[in-house]
Amino acid sequence: MAQSTQAAPVTSTEHPVLSIERLSVTLPGGAAARPVLDHVSLTVHAGQTVGLVGESGSGKSVTCRAALGLFPARAHLDGSVRVAGRDVLTMTRGERRRMRARDAAMVFQDPRSSINPLRTVGDFLTEALRTHDRLTRGAATTAAAELLAAVGLRDPRTALRRYPHEFSGGMLQRVMIAAALAGEPRLLLADEPTTALDMSIQAEVIALLARLRAERDLGLLFVTHDLDLAGAICDRIYVMYAGRIVEHRPAADLFRSPRHPYTAALLASRPRLDRAADRLDAVRGRPLGLDESVPGCGFAPRCDGATDACLRGSVPLTAIGDEPSAPGQVACLHPAEVAAR
Ligand SMILES: Nc1ncnc2c1ncn2[C@@H]1O[C@H](COP(=O)(O)OP(=O)(O)OP(=O)(O)O)[C@@H](O)[C@H]1O
Ligand SMILES: [Mg+2]
């Protein structure tokens, strides 16, 4: 099930392309009872595909956007965000603008909402290219056609003259991926890039991202609520719940033996061909809203194995001992019980 793709070997002297450390994001004015992000740490190395999964509202997009230095207005920030070793939170606006796309670029869920429908794809791409390099119009057009060819568009020169409505959703998402590559970034952030697409098109776009990741030695942060998809393409998976990372493991380990009850519940609730639909175990209860906080584990109110300590005490991320080569962490007081279930 979880076949992780082969990542480039990680050398210890190299900066991770993305390193988020103990990042907390709190909305101003007591608008929320708990932080949007609560001490989130996450690392992506060059050549690696890292998955970020969790329920709606768990904080995946806020984490992803943090890598570009984009945060909710007036939010209070704590911790650090480094892209290719450079601190994003202390950058000037100009530095941040240059960092976006040069070092890190993002692909969003719905391509149509991120492109001007009144301008041709060629104008869109050449503008993206000319903000990065001082290219002449002719050179930018050639580079744009090369980018479209790289993302698998057959007749790139003709495609440049077309408008967004002339493309299918899948083709337009390829155009958006081409635009993200314009500045030759080291880090590609993909926030549910295939959720708006048909299943067969989804697979093509995923295959494209995997190929580009390998060819260009990109670090890819792949946000999805689809655990199977994450398992199929990611080397490592981070599971988020209510603004916290509750478990992160090499993908194969996570599928083989989840240690957090939320991960276990997600795995049990996947529709599978070999199980009748009426046997699906939906995760009972509902996610913790931003207006709710529990002192201990955010998942405890939904957890069958929760004890008093889970509800009241702090539940830190702790190393999982039996994986010394590619260590994982879990934020659960009873991981052995989860593993034994
Ligand atoms: N700009 C903002 N201002 C106020 N609250 C925000 C802002 N952005 C996100 N939030 C809140 O932060 C929480 C996390 O949001 P986020 O968009 O990261 O969730 P998500 O995991 O990406 O969910 P989904 O799967 O639905 O995309 C949510 O409660 C959301 O309402
Ligand atoms: Mg989101």
Side-chain angles (χ1 to χ4, degrees):
M1 171 56 53
Q3 303 162 334
S4 60
T5 41
Q6 283 299 306
V10 172
T11 52
S12 57
T13 50
E14 200 174 273
H15 286 301
V17 289
L18 174 63
S19 166
I20 297 178
E21 273 172 47
R22 302 183 66 75
L23 178 67
S24 292
V25 174
T26 313
L27 295 178
R34 60 170 177 84
V36 173
L37 299 186
D38 192 354
H39 294 87
V40 166
S41 297
L42 179 151
T43 307
V44 182
H45 290 277
Q48 198 183 30
T49 305
V50 171
L52 184 57
V53 302
E55 271 167 332
S56 187
S58 56
K60 304 181 298 296
S61 292
V62 173
T63 303
C64 208
R65 290 164 62 87
L68 297 178
L70 298 168
F71 293 97
R74 298 185 305 283
H76 177 78
L77 312 177
D78 200 28
S80 75
V81 179
R82 288 176 181 277
V83 170
R86 289 170 40 234
D87 188 348
V88 170
L89 302 188
T90 58
M91 282 179 186
T92 63
R93 286 173 76 157
E95 285 171 334
R96 221 174 262 184
R97 207 175 326 111
R98 280 190 292 282
M99 178 274 291
R100 285 179 205 145
R102 270 248 170 272
D103 298 313
M106 188 144 163
V107 180
F108 297 92
Q109 178 171 335
D110 180 5
R112 288 197 202 281
S113 65
S114 358
I115 189 167
N116 183 343
L118 302 177
R119 302 182 59 211
T120 64
V121 157
D123 284 343
F124 172 67
L125 281 176
T126 50
E127 186 180 274
L129 282 156
R130 293 178 84 184
T131 49
H132 301 307
D133 300 299
R134 297 180 193 284
L135 296 177
T136 63
R137 179 163 285 277
T141 302
T142 302
E146 280 167 10
L147 280 177
L148 287 183
V151 297
L153 264 74
R154 279 219 188 88
D155 185 359
R157 290 272 168 183
T158 308
L160 288 175
R161 292 194 292 275
R162 297 221 158 105
Y163 288 87
H165 74 267
E166 299 177 75
F167 290 82
S168 67
M171 283 300 152
L172 202 56
Q173 192 61 302
R174 287 174 189 262
V175 172
M176 301 314 288
I177 293 169
L181 297 176
E184 300 186 3
R186 312 272 326 276
L187 171 67
L188 190 60
L189 307 153
D191 191 355
E192 311 227 23
T194 61
T195 310
L197 306 176
D198 291 343
M199 278 304 248
S200 61
I201 309 293
Q202 263 192 30
E204 289 175 14
V205 171
I206 298 289
L208 170 66
L209 286 171
R211 174 169 66 76
L212 293 168
R213 195 267 309 149
E215 282 173 3
R216 294 169 184 243
D217 199 29
L218 293 171
L220 177 61
L221 180 63
F222 191 88
V223 176
T224 177
H225 53 253
D226 184 337
L227 201 50
D228 279 318
L229 180 54
I233 66 162
C234 296
D235 303 295
R236 171 168 285 273
I237 297 177
Y238 288 75
V239 181
M240 276 196 102
Y241 189 83
R244 294 181 188 155
I245 301 293
V246 294
E247 179 164 9
H248 68 96
R249 314 272 296 282
D253 295 345
L254 189 92
F255 273 76
R256 193 183 321 113
S257 163
R259 298 297 169 91
H260 195 281
Y262 175 59
T263 319
L266 278 183
L267 285 169
S269 67
R270 293 173 301 150
R272 291 220 320 249
L273 284 177
D274 56 354
R275 260 192 322 201
D278 60 356
R279 299 275 315 279
L280 286 183
D281 302 317
V283 187
R284 74 173 170 82
R286 54 173 187 77
L288 204 63
L290 259 191
D291 55 348
E292 300 168 283
S293 81
V294 291
C297 169
F299 190 67
R302 302 171 78 181
C303 179
D304 291 332
T307 57
D308 268 3
C310 302
L311 287 160
R312 294 206 194 92
S314 80
V315 184
L317 268 173
T318 311
I320 297 169
D322 59 354
E323 293 165 359
S325 58
Q329 288 190 312
V330 64
C332 177
L333 298 178
H334 309 290
E337 281 91 323
V338 178
R341 266 187 225 163

